[in-house]
């Protein structure tokens, strides 16, 4: 399946399928004469898929293996990658390749966006979360001590190549992270995505689920690339989710925190009269189906972390509330109003 995303700077394909890593060079056309590539991956993915990718790239392709996990998405490691690229003679026409999940994709995209004021990069997602969400849309970032993703740019990739075979090696915890983001798309879009999730996401409908989520995000991103309005809907569950991540000191993975955030917002939305009770029960049942826990922390203390949320504008957070399955909207709230809303 190929989905084309149109951006302010051009178009890029999102290609999904089984066994397509062997065709990577042909699909992306990155190995032009006189240019080279550099692959960034992590120490979990490297033993599984790095050699497979390097086998279809020219001899001498650079490779950088970083520690896995959110703690690697930091300013220091980004600087080290930039210094290594410079020392290895990486040029403006060369291409970075992000082989991994959301952390690898975010930091690689960020490095690509600032090295020599911008070099091409390609996303090769190897997790469900990256396949359906973070590899598409051009958001790149590193975390600061004050909060997640506070340094970053919107910088679209040249291509996204998702070999579904890589998802077969996912540990259960990473699979669950992706399902948290899939629940987000189910609530946002409703329709077939919700139906698939409600009936049970599995091998038989995985490609269809990924393609539907990518196409939904494509439509949102094309309408609002720089997150001036509509794209804020994609933050459903994230304001509370990021706050839960901070409260847990990254003890809970991102996708699980998003799912917990969706449950908090769904409960608050029904209490405020936004969300009909029957639709709240369907959302709640979906979260329970995939084993997502309740937020274990007092919500008033959790929400204090939202003071550093990058979505604050004019002293207010654009909170995403749920009017129904497939019907969400943003409501500007002060931090105190958000605390009252979720408590």
């Amino acid at each position: 399946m190929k989905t084309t995303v149109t951006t302010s700077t051009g178009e890029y394909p999102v290609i999904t399928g089984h066994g397509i890593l062997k065709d990577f060079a042909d699909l992306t056309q990155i190995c032009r004469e006189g240019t080279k590539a550099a692959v960034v991956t992590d120490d979990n993915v490297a033993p599984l898929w790095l050699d497979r990718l390097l086998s279809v790239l020219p001899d001498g392709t650079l490779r950088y293996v970083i520690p896995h996990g959110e703690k690697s998405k930091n300013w220091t490691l980004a600087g080290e990658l930039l210094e290594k690229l410079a020392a290895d003679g990486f040029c403006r026409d060369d291409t970075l390749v992000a082989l991994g999940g959301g952390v690898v994709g975010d930091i690689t995209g960020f490095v690509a966006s600032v090295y020599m004021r911008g070099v091409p990069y390609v996303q090769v997602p190897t997790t469900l979360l990256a396949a359906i969400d973070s590899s598409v849309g051009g958001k790149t970032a590193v975390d600061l001590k004050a909060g997640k993703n506070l340094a970053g740019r919107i910088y679209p990739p040249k291509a996204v190549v998702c070999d579904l075979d890589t998802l077969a090696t996912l540990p259960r915890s990473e699979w669950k992270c992706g399902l948290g983001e899939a629940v987000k798309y189910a609530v946002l879009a409703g329709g077939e995505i919700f139906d698939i999730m409600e009936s049970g996401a599995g091998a038989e409908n995985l490609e269809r689920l990924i393609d539907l989520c990518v196409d939904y995000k494509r439509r949102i991103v094309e309408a609002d690339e720089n997150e001036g309005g509509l794209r804020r809907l994609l933050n459903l569950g994230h304001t509370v989710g990021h706050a839960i991540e901070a409260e847990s000191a990254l003890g809970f993975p991102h996708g699980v925190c998003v799912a917990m955030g969706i449950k908090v917002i769904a409960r608050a939305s029904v209490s405020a009269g936004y969300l009909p009770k029957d639709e709240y029960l369907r959302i709640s049942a979906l979260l329970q189906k995939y084993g997502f826990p309740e937020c274990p922390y007092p919500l008033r203390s959790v929400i204090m972390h939202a003071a550093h949320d990058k979505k604050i504008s004019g002293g207010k957070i654009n909170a995403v509330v749920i009017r129904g399955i497939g019907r969400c909207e943003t409501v500007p709230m002060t931090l105190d109003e958000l605390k009252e809303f979720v408590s």
Side-chain angles (χ1 to χ4, degrees), residues 295-327:
C295 174
Y297 309 112
L299 287 172
R300 283 184 170 269
S301 64
V302 165
I303 293 303
M304 292 306 297
H305 294 285
H308 298 293
D309 195 289
K310 66 183 184 301
K311 296 180 287 297
I312 292 179
S313 178
K316 293 190 174 183
I317 297 171
N318 289 295
V320 184
V321 303
I322 307 170
R323 293 280 187 182
I325 295 169
R327 294 185 297 116

Side-chain angles (χ1 to χ4, degrees), residues 21 25 28 107 110 162 214 217 223 289 292:
L21 206 58
T28 59
I107 193 170
F110 178 76
C162 177
V214 167
K217 187 167 188 179
K289 177 183 182 70
F292 291 111

Side-chain angles (χ1 to χ4, degrees), residues 120-149:
Y121 76 107
V122 176
Q123 293 270 17
V124 185
T126 62
T127 67
L128 179 61
L129 188 151
I132 66 174
D133 188 69
S134 62
S135 67
V136 180
K139 279 190 175 182
T140 74
V142 294
D143 302 336
L144 301 183
K145 291 178 181 178
K148 282 193 61 164
N149 301 329

